[in-house]
Amino acid sequence: MCGIFAYTGGRTDAASLVLDGLRRLEYRGYDSWGVAVRSDGRVLVEKQVGKIGDARVSMPSSTVAFGHTRWATHGGVTDKNAHPHTDCSGRLAVIHNGIVENHSELRREAISRGHVFRSETDTEVIAHLLEDELAGRNGDPRALTDSVRSVFSRLVGMNALMVLDSRSDALVAVKQGSPLVVGYGEAGQYIASDASALLPHTRTVTFLADGQMVVASPDGVSVWDAASGKRVEQEVMELDWCPEQSELGEYPHYLIKEICEQPRIVRSAALAQAASAERLGRMVRESFGAFFIGCGTAANAALTGQYLFSRIARHHVNFEVGSEFGYLEHFLTPESLVIALSQSGETIDVIEPLSRIKRERGIQVAALVNVLGSTLYRLADYNVLLGAGPEKCVLATKSYTAKLAILVLTAYAMDGRLKEGQDLLLRAADCIEELLTRERRRQIEELADVIHERDHMFLIGRGLSYPSSLEAALKIKEVSYIHAEGFAGGELKHGVIALVERGTPCVVFAPSDETKGAILSGAMELRARGGFIVGVSPEPSDAFDFHVPVGDCGDASPIVNAVPAQLLAYELALRRGTDPDKPRNLAKSVTVK
Ligand code: F6R
């Protein structure tokens, strides 16, 4: 949450370069944004509320700048609360991602020493504390870094912060929890909260570890241990993503672009993930109790995994959402395996319990993660990279089907039927391709025309399709703001059916499996109460008012069933005038609790 982008080097258009970097990070937060530059020995700040859009900065030429795009935590969405924040003297500017949990106490302390606060944020306290630390240290070359280390040691919580000092051409950043990546480009050095934002400039990066501080100047980069003040060797890696993957190309929105990338991603999982699936399958088999954890869409993939492993590999894997896992970890033993699913690899509700159980109890962790070098990637004992490429839309789509593809393959590999799993994925990729043809997309558009003015929707599935109904509901509600709820088909009669009125859209997932009879009965019961039944199924049925045909893909049906729901969510967003890539109140990569 919140995006940080910084540059220092030979270019003199640092402010616009940073603004462009922020645009690439805007999916991390888009309540407000701001940029600071160092020019003629002064720090100048420009900031405003709203998305960046086509905004330009009118700042003097400079070779060092940083910027921030905000997802508000402390203090409303106002110009004043937008980052960067400055100290009383205007010497320093600070940007920050995370939450300073002890900010009230630190603020009181700073006020008692005469500091004047201009915002309601927790961040501003950092600027004032730094101002005090720097006082009287003129001419001391280590003053800035020592001050940053000292202030950082006083902050409670998961925080990444960066400081721009009017008296230095170095940027100093430090992190605990929230991500920071350093990029080494031809024109200079970059620091960002996400590696994908660096792609136009470089693929050579260092992911900062927790507790590390980086000093970036036009001459180079050095990394330090913030606690001891000792220099550490920076681990340099090459990203395997290319810049074009982050561009919109011919598409109007990232959401539809990323939906359309899915056949290729599922196909490539079938062919490239065989060895990973075999290894992960062995780890599950050898563990004494395995758990899937994830949040949001990743949780829906994890729940699907529980069904897949049960029916394909006849193996029970527990499932829990990341934010609740910490309250259920009592079952873990040293032989347990926790498999975390996460696109970003930065979700705090996954990272926090995992770090704790690893640190305190030495539990083994495996990850299905999309971002190389992310916190989860570095924390896990074994990683399967999703291979979905950068996912820029706030809605998770291709990372979801990539996770499902790996789970299908792993369950088949565990049962000694890897080839069968691969063939199934290739079939699923063909079925998705079919759903993306012009004619089939037109059908979803027609459905959106019919239902886009409704306020409520219900989605049901049984067995493997139950998590599909949860995921479809999540996609629809987060981008169209229609209240959509997914349920296990059998649960309807236990209360929810009271909410169905004449014309209420009810999406029914009815694959050709053991759930079909019961789910169609459920559909009939909804229809008898006036529900408008949308059947997502290989076969038509009398229970459906609107049939969305999907290929019969057996155990891979959740992969295929995800796509009509994603397309419907997109079409509903267009008709309701919402932003398909940046829905209100949300941010990709949830790094605060
Ligand atoms: C929904 C969505 C979120 C994420 C969730 C976990 O479309 O994107 O629900 O799935 O915040 O994010 P990752 O996978 O990065 O851990």
Side-chain angles (χ1 to χ4, degrees):
M1 263 160 178
C2 298
I4 285 175
F5 194 92
Y7 169 76
T8 171
R11 283 177 58 168
T12 52
D13 58 343
S16 345
L17 193 153
V18 161
L19 186 64
D20 191 50
L22 288 183
R23 265 194 202 96
R24 294 171 199 283
L25 285 172
E26 223 185 352
Y27 57 87
R28 298 179 64 90
Y30 31 86
D31 295 337
S32 57
W33 59 273
V35 174
V37 296
R38 177 173 179 267
S39 175
D40 286 336
R42 286 181 313 147
V43 164
L44 305 171
V45 173
E46 212 175 289
K47 51 189 188 178
Q48 53 179 274
V49 159
K51 293 176 187 161
I52 300 172
D54 296 328
R56 295 265 165 271
V57 276
S58 50
M59 301 184 98
S61 68
S62 171
T63 55
V64 55
F66 69 22
H68 184 272
T69 171
R70 179 171 187 243
W71 188 84
T73 57
H74 291 65
V77 180
T78 62
D79 284 348
K80 280 190 174 157
N81 289 335
H83 298 212
H85 293 283
T86 50
D87 64 330
C88 298
S89 69
R91 169 180 171 179
L92 304 166
V94 174
I95 51 176
H96 165 231
N97 176 9
I99 295 178
V100 179
E101 289 171 16
N102 55 338
H103 72 100
S104 309
E105 177 192 325
L106 297 173
R107 190 182 180 104
R108 270 196 303 276
E109 184 189 311
I111 290 172
S112 74
R113 286 200 302 271
H115 290 276
V116 178
F117 279 74
R118 283 162 296 214
S119 77
E120 302 150 286
T121 64
D122 51 339
T123 306
E124 193 183 340
V125 76
I126 301 169
H128 296 292
L129 292 182
L130 278 170
E131 184 180 1
D132 284 348
E133 290 282 342
L134 283 164
R137 291 189 68 171
N138 289 345
D140 175 351
R142 292 185 64 124
L144 183 61
T145 49
D146 283 354
S147 303
V148 169
R149 288 177 45 228
S150 165
V151 169
F152 185 64
S153 71
R154 299 196 60 200
L155 308 181
V156 176
M158 303 293 212
N159 296 290
L161 64 97
M162 198 181 308
V163 184
L164 180 64
D165 180 1
S166 61
R167 301 187 194 168
S168 159
D169 58 3
L171 290 160
V172 182
V174 61
K175 68 148 263 174
Q176 179 71 35
S178 299
L180 282 181
V181 194
V182 180
Y184 310 89
E186 276 176 20
Q189 345 294 340
Y190 306 79
I191 305 176
S193 1
D194 191 329
S196 66
L198 300 173
L199 287 174
H201 307 288
T202 182
R203 282 155 72 177
T204 311
V205 300
T206 291
F207 292 89
L208 283 197
D210 279 348
Q212 287 186 339
M213 175 177 77
V214 60
V215 181
S217 73
D219 305 326
V221 168
S222 56
V223 177
W224 305 76
D225 177 74
S228 66
K230 294 211 174 92
R231 184 138 181 205
V232 293
E233 186 132 344
Q234 59 237 52
E235 196 189 328
V236 179
M237 313 186 172
E238 285 296 314
L239 298 171
D240 60 358
W241 291 350
C242 56
E244 302 75 55
Q245 285 177 289
S246 280
E247 304 300 334
L248 264 180
E250 72 207 59
Y251 294 96
H253 300 104
Y254 282 105
L255 176 53
I256 189 65
K257 172 183 186 255
E258 290 165 4
I259 291 172
C260 291
E261 285 171 4
Q262 293 176 109
R264 183 181 50 73
I265 291 163
V266 173
R267 227 168 252 138
S268 114
L271 304 173
Q273 301 282 18
S276 307
E278 298 261 30
R279 164 117 189 245
L280 187 61
R282 264 198 313 279
M283 289 174 78
V284 174
R285 178 80 68 208
E286 285 162 11
S287 68
F288 181 72
F291 294 75
F292 285 129
I293 67 166
C295 297
T297 291
N300 295 333
L303 178 59
T304 313
Q306 187 178 41
Y307 283 91
L308 288 169
F309 275 63
S310 170
R311 60 190 283 130
I312 301 169
R314 290 168 188 76
H315 196 95
H316 178 63
V317 182
N318 296 284
F319 156 75
E320 194 44 71
V321 293
S323 54
E324 288 298 309
F325 182 65
Y327 311 116
L328 285 168
E329 64 183 53
H330 318 93
F331 311 112
L332 297 177
T333 73
E335 287 78 39
S336 303
L337 171 69
V338 180
I339 305 170
L341 284 76
S342 175
Q343 187 286 129
S344 61
E346 302 293 350
T347 300
I348 192 77
D349 286 326
V350 168
I351 300 297
E352 204 202 27
L354 285 189
S355 319
R356 196 178 51 250
I357 57 168
K358 236 180 112 66
R359 192 176 57 242
E360 291 172 7
R361 299 164 67 187
I363 308 284
Q364 214 189 0
V365 172
L368 266 59
V369 58
N370 200 33
V371 180
L372 173 87
S374 58
T375 306
L376 176 60
Y377 179 89
R378 280 180 284 118
L379 193 133
D381 301 291
Y382 180 63
N383 281 292
V384 183
L385 278 171
L386 300 182
E391 193 175 62
K392 305 286 280 191
C393 176
V394 164
L395 279 73
T397 52
K398 59 178 180 168
S399 63
Y400 175 67
T401 43
K403 285 174 197 142
L404 294 185
I406 293 164
L407 290 169
V408 167
L409 207 59
T410 306
Y412 270 94
M414 222 175 130
D415 202 44
R417 295 186 286 148
L418 178 69
K419 174 76 176 61
E420 215 179 303
Q422 288 178 303
D423 290 345
L424 199 56
L425 290 186
L426 294 175
R427 173 159 168 66
D430 291 346
C431 292
I432 299 176
E433 208 136 66
E434 164 71 22
L435 288 167
L436 296 174
T437 56
R438 193 57 246 145
E439 187 195 336
R440 303 301 309 283
R441 279 194 55 192
R442 198 160 296 128
Q443 199 207 6
I444 300 286
E445 287 164 19
E446 281 163 23
L447 175 60
D449 286 339
V450 176
I451 66 173
H452 75 276
E453 282 174 341
R454 305 300 305 201
D455 292 327
H456 306 280
M457 272 180 78
F458 298 99
L459 301 96
I460 57 168
R462 282 174 174 255
L464 261 186
S465 304
Y466 163 47
S468 302
S469 74
L470 300 180
E471 174 57 13
L474 180 58
K475 288 291 92 86
I476 290 168
K477 68 185 139 193
E478 69 183 325
V479 77
S480 72
Y481 315 152
I482 293 175
H483 167 235
E485 290 297 328
F487 289 97
E491 285 298 292
L492 270 186
K493 291 187 284 292
H494 301 289
V496 185
I497 205 159
L499 298 172
V500 173
E501 296 173 342
R502 179 147 307 281
T504 304
C506 300
V507 177
V508 175
F509 290 97
S512 306
D513 63 13
E514 72 280 13
T515 65
K516 188 166 178 181
I519 203 77
L520 288 181
S521 303
M524 281 299 195
E525 288 154 12
L526 288 167
R527 197 157 189 248
R529 280 147 187 92
F532 175 75
I533 310 299
V534 179
V536 179
S537 174
E539 302 292 335
S541 159
D542 291 346
F544 302 155
D545 294 297
F546 194 101
H547 178 212
V548 179
V550 285
D552 181 1
C553 287
D555 293 330
S557 66
I559 300 178
V560 179
N561 285 346
V563 179
Q566 296 167 348
L567 289 169
L568 180 60
Y570 179 62
E571 295 300 335
L572 290 171
L574 294 182
R575 279 155 189 73
R576 291 168 69 94
T578 61
D579 183 337
D581 289 338
K582 299 187 191 88
R584 71 181 175 208
N585 301 341
L586 294 174
K588 206 160 182 79
S589 194
V590 182
T591 55
V592 293
K593 281 191 123 180

